[in-house]
Amino acid sequence: MPELPELLVISEHITNLLAGHAISQISVYNHIVIHGLTIEEFSRGAIGETVQKCEADGKFLIVHLNDHDIVINPMLTGRFRAFKRYRNPTRIDMVSIQTDGPSLWYSDTKKMGRVYLVPRGDYSLVAGFSGRGPSAMNPTLSLEDFTLRIKQFNGQIKSVLRNQRFLKGIGNAYADEILLYAGILPFRKRVSLSLQEIEMLYLSMKKVLFRIEEILAERSLDDITTEKRDFLMIHNKGGGICPLCGGRVSEVRANRFKTSYCQTCQK
Ligand SMILES: [Zn+2]
């Protein structure tokens, strides 16, 4: 659920809180989220190392240590919080990383997230990490790059936007927001888009993602975690009023994912 704008802001909070602090303890409350290593191996590798910085990479969060990286893919319901003092875990807490300063807690109600400890810079064992496209928020991503890339992907345009092999960082909610601004229906086939529509999509993507990052940058880690995405214009607003035209917002559900759109604003 956290998409790139959230993870960029979250990673900055974590860097500010934890950089320079040494890891003293790893507590795993639910081993299901730990991938690739036993809990003992995970703890042994991380304890004693110092947090250098935290970084967002598409929909992954990476905590750089001395010789290792902790890589977290929060999937649908992973959340990050920091606490100054130790607290008792609740049933949604999965892992806590305690340092000689604050501790970082990862919680996940659906337990679908994945947490890895890998040798620094080696992400070969992290599922879904390699083969992804450039960041959707890379400031140097030009319209030309975007157009060339998008032509390599077929199918419905919303699925293309969410496909991390196209660009990394966009998920279900922000794909809906981008498509509203671009005036394009989510079910349109990519091949049916004109060059002008592709340009609108590119501009809308930048506008939406950077605007959301700006809003989130004002918020605390806790506020981002409790997830009041009160800035959403259309996603999850089925039956409500479209803020652009005043019409009714339509919504369809496929698998676990909702698609919200406006039949008037989007063609
Ligand atoms: Zn509308």
Side-chain angles (χ1 to χ4, degrees), residues 242 244-245 262 264-265:
C242 168
L244 301 188
C245 72
C262 174
T264 308
C265 295

Side-chain angles (χ1 to χ4, degrees), residues 180 234 241-249 261-266:
L180 171 69
I234 191 140
I241 300 297
C242 168
L244 301 188
C245 72
R248 197 60 74 186
V249 175
Y261 59 100
C262 174
Q263 297 192 42
T264 308
C265 295
Q266 295 171 259

